[in-house]
Amino acid sequence: MALVLAVPAAADQDPNRPTDKIAADLNIEEAVFIECFKPVNPEPDKYPSGQEQRANKAILLPCLQKANPAISNERLDRVMDKYRPEGAFRK
């Protein structure tokens, strides 16, 4: 008998974030978040420079807003920071 464990989905480029919870908090489908996140390049050391943050946000935010126009920059920051394994770095 094989033991099957449920593993939460995660974004390919950042496997530490629970895409199901992020999508729910943004009020979008999980598949939409995963697709929008694919071209994003998260910083390996988890603390991207301002330039890197802006470049990634320029890709991610407009894509997410197509699914839910109510997603603001601030809301996206709050949700992403909520699920950042090392905690929010924006204080």
Side-chain angles (χ1 to χ4, degrees):
M1 176 196 267
L3 177 64
V4 178
L5 299 175
V7 178
D12 290 343
Q13 298 300 324
D14 192 352
N16 298 313
R17 292 211 178 109
T19 56
D20 57 339
K21 293 177 183 177
I22 293 170
D25 283 4
L26 294 173
N27 198 28
I28 59 173
E29 296 292 324
E30 182 180 17
V32 171
F33 178 79
I34 291 170
E35 193 61 33
C36 287
F37 199 83
K38 282 182 180 178
V40 171
N41 294 307
E43 178 62 31
D45 72 5
K46 305 293 182 191
Y47 297 97
S49 69
Q51 181 179 357
E52 290 167 321
Q53 289 177 44
R54 287 185 295 278
N56 285 333
K57 189 77 63 75
I59 296 167
L60 185 58
L61 186 57
C63 183
L64 296 172
Q65 287 173 328
K66 288 178 185 174
N68 179 356
I71 299 172
S72 66
N73 185 58
E74 294 77 20
R75 182 175 175 191
L76 180 58
D77 284 346
R78 277 193 314 273
V79 171
M80 295 301 280
D81 282 348
K82 178 179 177 180
Y83 296 105
R84 188 180 303 281
E86 62 280 354
F89 64 87
R90 283 181 273 280
K91 301 285 182 191

